[in-house]
Amino acid sequence: METKKRKREILRLKEDLKVAEDGSQCDIFPKNASCKCYFFDKLGLLSPKKIGAGSDQRFSDVLRRRFLRQVRIKERKRRRPDDSLLHRISDCDNENNIEQLSASVDFLLELCDTVSLHSLEEGNFKNWCHQAVDFILGTLATMSPTERNREPVEGIINSLIMRLLRRMCSALQGDESYHFDTAVQFYIQHLMRKVGNEAFVGQRIIFAVSQRISAMAESLLFMDPFDDAFPSMHNSMYMMIQLIEFLVSDYLLIWSNTGDFDLRLFEEWVVSILHGRKTLELLENRNSLYVLYIDRVIGVVAKQVRQLSFLQKLSPQILENLFS
């Protein structure tokens, strides 16, 4: 009896292994399954569950293969059969990280460009976004600091950030101009927050967002409050300030403990945030809440900076402006 049980167990394990190895034949999760790891859990709230927390490695491998297969399908549809870049992303053992990164970024951006309330409710958008973000972060994790800082990788990541930021600040739905879809905006913000888990990406997001805050503040200064575009820009301002707060609260101390933390970029985005506050001061007569919110963000940054082990290496002028 014991021998039969053991044989059945071995057969079951062999079948599980076959399913896991042959992702092209069968998926453990159906294509319309809801996200199992709550990727979009606590949307718009502080301290979400971290990416990958409590995930099963076996299921992660299956999802990874399914994601790669879906990306290849998208690539084939987009390119001619004789295109030399048809197979720009190949099997899981492909060592060309730049091509994999580029293809997965394109896949995520295409999802975000076509997202709507209907696609959010279907669940496929959430599943594919989760897998794309995990794949992007996983690919970056395999790269050395030297590889990351090369022009192709920086270009891919900067393109990802700018297009997501543009999408978050113009989450339009339908044909009506300036019809703002707040739900989509929150989902794009959450995606930027998740992909910002990696310091290489997160610090660049903060820098880009702080610069956009300054530019938008200057635009709002000369804009008629009754302009049709004003409500969406007003909403985007809060969304961007909140995104910086999320990234700093979630990750700054974690980033600072990594060996390849970019101190120069850190100082640049701190200066950019402080400059953004000065620009928002010009709008204080119109809306004092902008300054209150950015002050809260600066307070979070200052609190976190006090705990950094390399505090003495930072520019005295930056520290003086930050703590004043």
Side-chain angles (χ1 to χ4, degrees), residues 4 7-8 20 30 58 73 80 100 120 132 144 151 162 182 227 231 233 282-283 293 298 316 322-323:
K4 289 183 178 180
K7 284 183 178 180
R8 283 197 296 268
R58 174 174 170 269
I73 292 172
R80 301 188 305 274
Q100 290 196 8
L120 289 177
S144 66
E151 186 176 339
M162 297 311 298
T182 307
D227 190 299
M233 293 179 67
L282 301 174
L283 294 171
Y293 281 126
I298 292 173
L322 183 61
F323 295 132

Side-chain angles (χ1 to χ4, degrees), residues 49-260:
K49 293 180 180 178
K50 297 296 186 289
I51 292 177
S55 62
D56 186 303
Q57 183 60 42
R58 174 174 170 269
F59 288 164
S60 295
D61 289 343
V62 173
L63 290 173
R64 174 186 167 88
R65 279 191 294 275
R66 215 182 83 186
F67 170 71
L68 285 171
R69 194 163 61 255
Q70 186 71 11
V71 172
R72 284 197 294 272
I73 292 172
K74 293 280 186 182
E75 289 294 315
R76 291 189 183 101
K77 289 180 179 179
R78 186 161 40 234
R79 301 180 182 281
R80 301 188 305 274
D82 60 341
D83 198 320
S84 61
L85 293 178
L86 176 63
H87 301 291
R88 65 187 295 196
I89 184 165
S90 59
D91 296 332
C92 299
D93 58 352
N94 193 321
E95 295 181 357
N96 196 330
N97 288 329
I98 293 179
E99 290 185 358
Q100 290 196 8
L101 181 65
S102 178
S104 53
V105 164
D106 288 345
F107 182 86
L108 179 61
L109 290 173
E110 186 175 331
L111 284 174
C112 294
D113 286 342
T114 58
V115 64
S116 64
L117 286 175
H118 178 67
S119 61
L120 289 177
E121 293 170 359
E122 282 184 338
N124 287 336
F125 170 80
K126 300 175 185 179
N127 284 335
W128 290 127
C129 281
H130 180 187
Q131 293 174 45
V133 169
D134 274 3
F135 193 86
I136 291 168
L137 294 177
T139 304
L140 287 171
T142 63
M143 295 182 177
S144 66
T146 302
E147 287 179 294
R148 292 182 194 176
N149 290 316
R150 288 175 182 167
E151 186 176 339
V153 176
E154 281 205 87
I156 292 168
I157 295 303
N158 287 335
S159 175
L160 170 67
I161 293 169
M162 297 311 298
R163 286 182 61 182
L164 286 178
L165 181 56
R166 192 182 309 123
R167 185 71 176 95
M168 186 184 77
C169 293
S170 60
L172 306 179
Q173 183 182 26
D175 297 326
E176 297 181 20
S177 298
Y178 309 119
H179 178 79
F180 213 69
D181 189 341
T182 307
V184 171
Q185 186 182 36
F186 269 108
Y187 274 89
I188 301 299
Q189 182 204 59
H190 199 74
L191 275 174
M192 297 184 75
R193 183 181 182 181
K194 288 291 190 178
V195 79
N197 176 61
E198 170 60 56
F200 180 83
V201 183
Q203 291 205 97
R204 284 166 172 78
I205 291 177
I206 294 177
F207 184 66
V209 171
S210 58
Q211 288 188 315
R212 178 65 68 90
I213 287 173
S214 295
M216 187 174 288
E218 292 177 359
S219 297
L220 287 171
L221 183 65
F222 300 102
M223 178 177 284
D224 182 351
F226 296 100
D227 190 299
D228 290 339
F230 186 84
S232 62
M233 293 179 67
H234 171 77
N235 199 30
S236 294
M237 183 69 78
Y238 288 122
M239 195 65 67
M240 290 190 293
I241 295 173
Q242 185 184 49
L243 176 58
I244 294 178
E245 182 179 15
F246 284 154
L247 290 169
V248 172
S249 300
D250 292 346
Y251 304 126
L252 180 54
L253 292 180
I254 298 174
W255 293 341
S256 66
N257 291 323
T258 60
D260 57 344

Side-chain angles (χ1 to χ4, degrees), residues 269-281:
W269 65 252
V270 170
V271 170
S272 184
I273 290 175
L274 294 172
H275 179 266
R277 190 209 182 279
K278 288 184 178 181
T279 311
L280 289 174
E281 284 179 351

